[in-house]
Amino acid sequence: MGGVPGSGDDVTLAGTNTYVMNVTGTGNVANSVTVNAANLKIVSLAFASGSVLTVGADFSLLKPGTGNSRITGIGSLQVGGTLTNAGTIISIVAGSMVINAARLISSTGTVQIGATSTLDLQLGAGGGSIGIAAFTSGGVLFDDVGALTITAASVGNLGFANLKIGNSATSALTIAGTVTSGSTITFAGTTNGASLIGSATNSKAFDGVTISGFGGADIIVVNGADTELVSGTSLKVYNGGTAGLLLDTITLTGSPIANGTYSLTSGTITAACYLSGTHLLTDAGEVAVDDLAIGDMLITADAGPQAIRWIGQRAYLAGLINVHHRDALLPIRISAGALSDNVPTRDLMVSPEHMIALDGVLVAAHNLVNGSTITRFDDLEVVKYFHIELDQHAVIFAEGAAAESYLDTGNRNMFTNVLEYAELGIPVGATVPCLPIVSEGAVLAAIRGGIAARAEACGFTTSADAELHLLVDGVSLYPTAINGQSFCFDIAQSARDVRMVSRSAVPAEIDPASADRRRLGVAMAGLTLSGNGLSIDVLAGEKLLSDGFYPADGGHRWTNGAAQVPAALLALMDGAFSVTVQLIGTGMEYPVAREGAVVALASARAPRRAGAQRLVA
């Protein structure tokens, strides 16, 4: 090539002969690289173990006619711009090939991974501009028994026309990001046992994706939880062990294993339940769900009075519920008057999946949470749920609000008294909902918008003020100076524990259009510790930022509302020191209540009976 290329050079590997260009060492740089093989020829860029090639702009694998341009080996390719793959990316040698690019376009390209190798394809990572990764057509072949990881930026999308996962227990495709709705992912072969693994923090990783060929011992993992229930070609994904939160619904095509049901790894799904102590409307007036019995008549919205055919029960010690399962198991509190005037008449507490009837549809309670009038409730020691089953699924009235009875979706075994049901010889209950179920789209957005408007009218509002302060060894400390988005705190003496405390909110609860269900505090660009003759700048990407921090997102990192300043840095501060926190503007709004507000809600509340709180199913 006439010498070693530099960072400003554009390199083209092309020719009429088949040949291999080797990459060795770690100091290889170029502005752009194009690999372009002629017809019937193969041109390969081969990475030696531990080698690194850094390309500042774009990298292109072209495939004119019947030629084939390839990347092979087990090194590291860092691409600042777009990686275009019309050739083949091959990782068949024992070891790992890492490719980091802002954006990947694969029009006719192929990816092949061997039995003992791993390809880690990182897209939009590294703190630069965030690219959208898209496999637009032709697809990517994930071959044989290797392991493929595709990492996309948090706001990126991955689209697959036909992504195939290998046919072995060691085949595993891991995707960190969101696959574009309408994409197709295929499990290859009939041996089965492959894994499709979604982002640990994204419950909608495969929303709207068609997955074919799934069966046998194949596994789909979303948000850290295995899939758990399949009916026909509808795969519902839950998180939370024996009673989890519905995360997603996936369409499957292919042959079921047996009896119309796909074989999956573990678990059951949630049921719609009322918290103990909830009052339901019977033909004799309101009765606490704990006091109801089989045969009692409940008033329904459209089907007239119906007799209770069965009452299911389940209970948990709140303090023993794993932190990752609390949102799935702890109740949703719908404050008195949150839905309309005097509806509900008292605070209504239901399980997260319980359906509320609004505007002619059914909406799960967790989809109504707004952070103010409808919230998650954890101030209880024992969570006891009841479900009330009628001959027909129907809308009944709980604390004056229209809500559903129990619908049998194959999850009856989750109740502790399920043997009682079997002993009674009761036939299978209703499996068709009495109203359409809405979990997304314009109808849900309109319902949430109405609830938000009512909350504001009742005195609840939002504020852009995060009320950022520090908690220094348990004592609150407020900023001594604020300059725009820079907050300076003066600490009089050395400290062992310093936490950045602020208001927090779940964007999806505040904004009906948001799908972000993380609890977010402030977006920190960095912080500076000054004292003891030192000044330490900590950028958002610093790995020490872990406790109370989410992963870095470009040039900032969100806190969860109580993030810890790394103890290793505090140990360097001897005596008085200062902490300066630099935030970025995000437009985040936090729910607050005006002083003396919420009169309409509070006046509608009535006291509950004394005793332990209970939940109704």
Side-chain angles (χ1 to χ4, degrees), residues 45-215:
L45 188 64
F47 285 76
S49 178
S51 62
V52 178
L53 171 59
T54 301
V55 179
D58 297 336
F59 188 107
S60 300
L61 288 180
L62 303 181
K63 187 179 180 181
T66 55
N68 196 348
S69 299
R70 296 178 173 178
I71 297 174
T72 65
I74 53 174
S76 175
L77 172 61
Q78 305 292 320
V79 180
T82 297
L83 170 61
T84 301
N85 178 28
T88 306
I89 300 174
I90 304 175
S91 182
I92 59 176
V93 183
S96 175
M97 180 71 190
V98 178
I99 299 179
N100 186 315
R103 186 171 187 261
L104 173 63
I105 298 175
S106 182
S107 56
T108 57
T110 297
V111 174
Q112 295 179 347
I113 303 95
T116 58
S117 66
T118 298
L119 174 64
D120 186 352
L121 184 57
Q122 302 175 0
L123 306 175
S129 60
I130 296 175
I132 303 299
F135 299 94
T136 54
S137 65
V140 172
L141 175 65
F142 169 53
D143 200 15
D144 298 329
V145 291
L148 172 63
T149 298
I150 298 179
T151 306
S154 59
V155 298
N157 293 304
L158 296 168
F160 302 100
N162 185 20
L163 175 65
K164 295 181 181 179
I165 303 175
N167 187 31
S168 168
T170 58
S171 296
L173 172 64
T174 300
I175 297 176
T178 300
V179 180
T180 305
S181 178
S183 295
T184 300
I185 298 177
T186 303
F187 283 82
T190 58
T191 303
N192 306 119
S195 299
L196 173 62
I197 303 171
S199 167
T201 58
N202 183 6
S203 64
K204 293 294 185 180
F206 305 116
D207 193 28
V209 175
T210 297
I211 299 176
S212 62
F214 180 84

Side-chain angles (χ1 to χ4, degrees), residues 8 48 71 129 151 221 240 291 333 379 482 489 504 575 616:
I71 297 174
S129 60
T151 306
V221 179
D291 299 330
R333 176 168 61 186
D379 186 18
I482 301 175
F489 301 84
S504 63
V616 181

Side-chain angles (χ1 to χ4, degrees), residues 13 21-23 33 35 43-47 53 59 70-72:
L13 306 179
M21 179 64 67
N22 295 309
V23 178
V33 174
V35 183
V43 177
S44 299
L45 188 64
F47 285 76
L53 171 59
F59 188 107
R70 296 178 173 178
I71 297 174
T72 65

